[in-house]
Amino acid sequence: MSRYYLTTPIYYANSRPHVGSAYTTIACDVIARYKRMCGDEVAYLTGTDEHGVNIERAAEKLGITPAELVDRNHRIFTDLWKRLGIDYTHFVRTTSPEHARAVQALVRRTRKRSSDAIYKAKYEGRYCIHDNLYVSDSPEPADCPLCGRPAELISEENYFFRLSAFQDKLLALYREHPDFVQPDFRFNEVKSFVEAGLKDVSISRKSITWGIPWPDDPEHVFYVWYDALTSYMSGLGYGQSEDDEASPEFRKFWPADVHMIGKEIIRFHAVYWPAFLMAAGLPLPRQIFAHGWLLFEQQKMSKSKGNIAYCEPIVNALDELAGAKVGNDALRYYLLRDVVFGQDGNFGRDALLTRYNSDLANDLGNLASRTIHMIGRYFGGVVPEPTPREQPESDLEVFTAEAVLSFRRGFDEFAFSRAIEAGWGLVTRVNQYLVETEPWAMAEDPARRGRLGPVLYAAAESLRVLAVLFAPVLPVAAQNIWRQLGLARSPESERIDQLTWGGLKPGTRVSKPEPVFPRLDKKEAIERIEAMEEEIRQPTTPAAPKTESAAAAPAAAPTAAPAVPVRISIDDFAKVEMRVGEVKTAERVAGTDKLMRLTVDIGTEVRQVVAGIAKSYEPEQVVGRKVVIVANLEPRKLRGVESNGMVVAATRPDGSPVLCTFVEDVPVGARLK
Ligand code: ME8
């Protein structure tokens, strides 16, 4: 049996978790269940990040102690994970004495192994307490580039980690482990960030008290990120005795197979963390996977913007209206099916309800009810005999084998939407098979009645396979289908990597069909969710949006307009690569009247760019035209078409775009500055 160790980030315990926070945890829960079903022994760690100045200040505002605040919020997190059926095996609270011991052990070990990796020096600079971000290494006043608030002056002696000495080692690591960071485009950002040179980082604080004391120098506490990252090891029992690696759990599970994180914290995980571990002479995690953000109304869901959806209203409202436990499965299915894992994706209640009704209730739910109903009606509830293998009733067996393979291939790459789509191909195929064969008509037709048993066997066996396949994503529904099929134990006790046709024994007694996903009235459901949202919505407290990517951190502008206007430095502006391009081809994107797909020569290459100009320009008007392209934007998909850059345009008062052009001639590829 192989072991598999997977972690989520540990969550800031300064506010209530929302759907965006739960996204990482749900994805990891799905992976953990899947890996268990592949026969692995899985450790799945999550936790709460309970130190730092923002917690200290948040508690102060509420007139309670930091310990009271984190106790309260820790409970909110664990209650939610329980409600969402998150099956983690390890939970770390960074305020626990065990965790503190581990953090201290790590720094002691580092100093023993690499005597000059940590040194003491005076630090003067500006620091944003909301983002835990060093804004500038000079005492001059500066605003945080992320939230726009004035950064605080810090002038104190700190312990520094000599990150600058790890540039070559990190680059070698990246070369030798081409999957160390996934997806690839994020890995490229990380490499560029490290190639540009690394500065040493301060890893202690003197000005605050709410943290883990530095060993033998208790005037200092650890910087929250050094403290928080160590949770991935402390949760396994690291650092509890003289021999800091002695814990059997630690020996068994470390290093982590995957640290699953959101994209904005990649620098800490793919640069700082491996360097900390290298300096301590400890094995490095095998992979950092950075998923994208859940956007709500096109902006990152975040408390400071108030554009938040919480999980509890969704789950509770759906359960209540369906009169059955369907909410968790619906949320998991929607998040993993609709958002391409790794990219940003929009969250919408309407889209969630559409998926619920069309996929879960209509496709899967109907398949289960009619199959079980017909076995009840025509065979007295007993699963009939299949056809002999040499004369299969249909192509379902072959189709199933292919669907299982594609599903697993997708899952192994964390391409959940692709995997689910492949699995759903089977749902569609079986439904189609029932429409084609019409078992209800066969039952009435003596000439065809003989085929009825094999047809229903094939449908029921497909349903069994689907229950196993979808158990990680739809644990409640899969169990429900399993039980209705009259099967013992649970689909999660089956091996998904050994899933083959024919596991359903003829003679098995099915139970009475019950709807797995009762249909819901979309409008009523949305209204109920919104009403429940209101009940738990709290007054917004300032918590800042974070930076988009490692390459852009720390100076990139936030994705949404912050409350305070942001001024950027010339260096920040220089990061935006704008080039003159020439449009080679142009065509409208199907299914929308706004978008146009362009291929643009930018001097070094021809790029595909999707532009929102189709309402104002005809394709033939733009072909041959010189335009301005933002060339170093992350690729993103618009209506399924990848856009590799952005065309710059001004906006008229009526919202229509005007392409940016030049009066004088300018060569293709010229850079704007
Ligand atoms: O960063 N969409 O904690 P955190 C997708 N304590 N993911 C989102 C999201 C959204 N709208 N909002 C939050 C921290 N997340 C640190 C981690 S680890 C050693 C320390 C994700 O509570 C976010 O990307 O701010 C991250 O992966 C997780 O929630 C915790 O975020």
Side-chain angles (χ1 to χ4, degrees), residues 9-12 18 20-21 23-24 49 225 228-229 232 261-262 264-265 269 291-294 300-301 546:
I10 51 165
Y11 290 83
Y12 284 128
H18 49 76
S21 349
Y23 183 52
T24 325
D49 194 351
W225 271 99
L229 287 161
Y232 298 141
I261 57 166
E264 81 282 12
I265 54 176
H269 285 80
H291 63 67
W293 282 342
L294 278 192
K300 185 191 178 202
M301 203 179 282
K546 284 187 230 152

Side-chain angles (χ1 to χ4, degrees), residues 7 137 181 204 279 388 431 530 533 576 590 604 618 651:
T7 66
D137 290 334
V181 175
S204 79
N431 271 325
E530 283 171 353
E533 282 271 348
V576 183
T604 46
E618 291 301 325
T651 311

